[in-house]
Amino acid sequence: MMRKVLQKLGKADETKDEQFEQCVQNFNKQLNEGTRLQKDLRTYLASVKAMHEASKKLNECLQEVYEPDWPGRDEASKIAENNDLLWMDYHQKLVDQALLTMDTYLGQFPDIKSRIAKRGRKLVDYDSARHHYASLQTAKKKDDTKIAKAEEELVKAQKVFEEMNVDLQEELPSLWNSRVGFYVNTFQSIAGLEENFHKEMSKLNQNLSDVLVGLEKQHGSNTFAVKAQPSDNAPAKGDKSPSPPPNGSPAATPEIRVNHEPEPASVASPGAALPKSPSQSSLPAVVAETFPAAVNGTVEGGSGAVRLDLPPGFMFKVQAQHDYTATDTDELQLKAGDVVLVIPFQNPEEQDEGWLMGVKESDWNQHKELEKCQGVFPENFTERVQ
């Protein structure tokens, strides 16, 4: 908007609050740390679930090979059941005591982030009203009517800004200080749950070991000793390392099939040795799939042109006519010529006059992540093109 241009040209004052700016930096740092922790916690939970499934299948395999007349079958079955329940209980407690708490903690950030951005816009309005009132006061020809109206607008803009500013000045330091207690409680919960889980799992493993020892005693004469057998291609014990292939050619490597097609049955019959051609001693062939090329936002070479996806709620396109430097984290940084896909505000009440919400077309085509790429920008810096 024009008042921001005036600020950058030095024709309007821009209020600076270094203490508040430090609070905003802390807020962004805290949000980034919390988001990373949430992501890593979800990865940890996914790993626990994967381990649960792997353990369950292993126990199912034991039950299948455990013959009915072998001693300890019922005990082994009960241990497998308790093993499954222990994994389920561990995962659920992690969700309840860590993940849900993490979600609640991060749930307070979006509203505060929105209010910080709105405070910035109201500060610009306040500075503009203050500058306008001061210019009327110092004009050679004073107009009392205009001065009175400008004073009324200044008082209104100041009141709106100060109400938002006071609330945030209290909330941001409190939120920043709360992070220590949150981190302590979260990691203490995870550590305690993991410690208890491994204690209980250790008991189950010991019980299973006792059952298997009993089985071994009953069938002691039939114990199967597993010994390592040398491979036909293994080097002799005296060799320090295997010899390189003859003629310096690389070792045979299976063909890589990117398209995952099955190996043709006619390539070689079991046990048959095919003569090697000179090409077979070179690097392995790679069979790669080819894909139709995308040109100007459409996919060529198919049955028809397919338009790339647009962001949800897309309304129209605009093109930046001037450079715009973002002054808040929720604003878009524009260069002249940038194309922006305009979308509606999630909350229409948050839209200020003269501002639009959108995502740069280049960012959308590259990332397809609306939450990270969207932002507000002044409408009068752009021109509608579609």
Side-chain angles (χ1 to χ4, degrees):
M1 296 176 70
M2 188 55 66
R3 54 180 173 271
K4 286 205 169 190
V5 176
L6 291 174
Q7 283 181 353
K8 297 187 185 303
L9 294 175
K11 296 182 179 180
D13 296 331
E14 185 175 2
T15 301
K16 292 287 186 181
D17 187 337
E18 293 183 0
Q19 182 178 355
F20 184 81
E21 289 176 0
Q22 182 61 52
C23 287
V24 172
Q25 290 180 15
N26 292 341
F27 172 84
N28 291 329
K29 181 176 184 291
Q30 187 176 1
L31 175 57
N32 291 336
E33 289 176 348
T35 302
R36 178 186 173 184
L37 176 56
Q38 183 189 48
K39 179 182 177 182
D40 291 343
L41 183 56
R42 289 184 183 277
T43 301
Y44 179 80
L45 281 165
S47 299
V48 169
K49 201 166 187 64
M51 277 296 300
H52 176 200
E53 290 300 320
S55 176
K56 185 176 181 180
K57 288 185 180 297
L58 194 60
N59 281 309
E60 287 174 354
C61 181
L62 176 61
Q63 296 306 303
E64 290 176 6
V65 302
Y66 213 110
E67 297 183 9
D69 59 336
W70 289 357
R73 177 179 173 82
D74 292 340
E75 289 85 347
S77 178
K78 187 63 177 177
I79 291 171
E81 182 181 339
N82 290 336
N83 183 291
D84 186 48
L85 292 174
L86 184 58
W87 275 109
M88 291 174 60
D89 180 69
Y90 179 45
H91 184 273
Q92 188 59 49
K93 285 181 177 178
L94 282 172
V95 171
D96 294 339
Q97 299 181 31
L99 183 61
L100 293 181
T101 304
M102 183 81 241
D103 293 343
T104 302
Y105 171 74
L106 286 180
Q108 59 191 326
F109 284 83
D111 176 65
I112 297 177
K113 184 177 181 180
S114 174
R115 287 160 54 203
I116 291 173
K118 192 166 186 177
R119 173 200 176 273
R121 292 191 287 273
K122 295 306 176 184
L123 176 58
V124 173
D125 293 340
Y126 170 50
D127 286 341
S128 177
R130 187 161 52 86
H131 174 73
H132 180 57
Y133 177 72
S135 63
L136 290 176
Q137 289 277 40
T138 57
K140 293 182 179 179
K141 186 178 180 181
K142 295 185 178 181
D143 188 327
D144 293 338
T145 303
K146 289 184 178 180
I147 291 176
K149 185 177 180 181
E151 184 178 9
E152 180 181 345
E153 291 177 352
L154 173 60
V155 171
K156 182 180 177 181
Q158 182 179 10
K159 182 181 179 182
V160 171
F161 166 72
E162 288 184 348
E163 285 178 354
M164 298 189 69
N165 187 54
V166 169
D167 290 342
L168 289 171
Q169 291 277 14
E170 294 176 355
E171 289 183 44
L172 290 177
S174 177
L175 179 63
W176 173 249
N177 293 332
S178 71
R179 75 195 190 285
V180 178
F182 172 75
Y183 294 152
V184 169
N185 291 336
T186 299
F187 282 98
Q188 277 185 340
S189 295
I190 295 173
L193 291 171
E194 187 169 349
E195 180 184 15
N196 186 64
F197 168 77
H198 287 299
K199 282 182 179 179
E200 296 300 320
M201 185 60 72
S202 177
K203 294 177 183 178
L204 291 178
N205 289 335
Q206 183 60 52
N207 292 341
L208 180 59
S209 177
D210 293 343
V211 170
L212 296 176
V213 168
L215 175 62
E216 183 183 15
K217 289 180 179 179
Q218 289 287 336
H219 298 266
S221 60
N222 299 323
T223 302
F224 178 71
V226 179
K227 296 182 179 179
Q229 298 296 327
S231 169
D232 293 339
N233 297 324
K237 289 184 179 179
D239 296 341
K240 294 184 178 180
S241 61
S243 303
N247 300 327
S249 60
T253 308
E255 181 176 283
I256 300 172
R257 293 181 171 268
V258 178
N259 56 6
H260 306 291
E261 293 180 357
E263 191 75 24
S266 60
V267 171
S269 59
L274 296 179
K276 292 185 178 181
S277 65
S279 60
Q280 287 178 312
S281 62
S282 60
L283 291 176
V286 177
V287 180
E289 291 182 345
T290 58
F291 300 91
V295 181
N296 295 329
T298 61
V299 178
E300 303 292 339
S303 57
V306 180
R307 192 172 184 181
L308 293 178
D309 293 336
L310 292 171
F314 167 75
M315 297 189 294
F316 54 87
K317 289 184 181 181
V318 297
Q319 187 174 38
Q321 304 300 305
H322 313 282
D323 292 353
Y324 176 72
T325 303
T327 58
D328 286 312
T329 57
D330 70 328
E331 295 181 6
L332 290 182
Q333 184 93 1
L334 300 179
K335 293 289 186 182
D338 284 348
V339 175
V340 183
L341 308 177
V342 179
I343 57 176
F345 280 76
Q346 291 183 351
N347 183 2
E349 295 181 359
E350 295 181 356
Q351 183 172 5
D352 293 322
E353 183 180 356
W355 293 78
L356 295 176
M357 174 70 74
V359 56
K360 288 199 285 188
E361 187 175 46
S362 58
D363 291 342
W364 173 253
N365 290 338
Q366 182 178 358
H367 302 292
K368 293 291 191 298
E369 295 182 2
L370 195 58
E371 291 297 326
K372 294 183 179 180
C373 299
Q374 69 180 3
V376 297
F377 60 95
E379 182 177 7
N380 62 352
F381 274 65
T382 64
E383 181 177 299
R384 184 164 175 169
V385 294
Q386 179 180 328

